[in-house]
Amino acid sequence: MYIVVEGEDPGFDIFVNGHALARNEDALEKLALRLGVKPLLEFFSADENSMALLLEEGAGDPEWAKTLPPPQWFSPTEGLTTIRMLLASLRESPVELGSETIPVLRELEEYERVLLKTEMRSLRWQLAVSWK
């Protein structure tokens, strides 16, 4: 799971490692719902380019990809709300995800840094996925 920022070049590094978040997505979704915030995958959107990459990786159905709605872009403020609630909860209860808690915390902190820069530049973002 990685962040895409709207536009050609946002002017800052948007690289995030989303492997631990992807591995723990189900547990994080349940935690987000318990906390009353939008789960991370609700920020997912795909444009034709990202769908082409997914299809190259063997994920998705080419026919379904043709019917995709236009990509959605989200407010970084809304994403930060989810990220910060998840961070606070996992810091308060570090056994929530067992041995995965520390890697998930690190990745959530990376997401927070990128979304803060996105917000400072008044840009929008979306979550994308890669199956590799």
Side-chain angles (χ1 to χ4, degrees):
M1 294 172 36
Y2 60 97
I3 291 175
V4 177
V5 176
E6 189 175 30
E8 291 288 318
D9 178 9
F12 59 93
D13 184 10
I14 62 169
F15 176 79
V16 291
N17 181 349
H19 293 109
L21 294 178
R23 282 193 310 270
N24 293 280
E25 200 285 316
D26 286 342
L28 290 169
E29 179 179 8
K30 290 175 184 158
L31 178 57
L33 292 172
R34 274 197 328 260
L35 296 170
V37 294
K38 194 174 190 175
L40 287 174
L41 273 186
E42 286 192 25
F43 295 104
F44 171 78
S45 186
D47 59 16
E48 289 177 24
N49 291 337
S50 34
M51 275 314 297
L53 289 173
L54 284 175
L55 292 172
E56 279 179 28
E57 295 171 0
D61 175 356
E63 291 304 310
W64 174 77
K66 293 177 187 173
T67 64
L68 281 176
Q72 288 185 281
W73 296 98
F74 302 95
S75 156
T77 305
E78 192 177 12
L80 284 166
T81 298
T82 292
I83 298 296
R84 288 176 173 156
M85 289 293 287
L86 291 171
L87 279 167
S89 180
L90 291 172
R91 286 175 179 145
E92 187 176 297
S93 180
V95 296
E96 179 85 29
L97 300 175
S99 64
E100 287 286 292
T101 299
I102 297 300
V104 166
L105 281 169
R106 285 188 190 126
E107 290 181 12
L108 287 170
E109 289 165 352
E110 289 177 11
Y111 276 50
E112 182 181 34
R113 279 191 294 278
V114 170
L115 291 181
L116 277 169
K117 290 177 183 176
T118 304
E119 183 178 55
M120 287 174 21
R121 288 167 175 80
S122 299
L123 298 171
R124 297 181 300 168
W125 74 291
Q126 60 183 234
L127 192 63
V129 296
S130 172
W131 302 106
K132 286 188 176 183

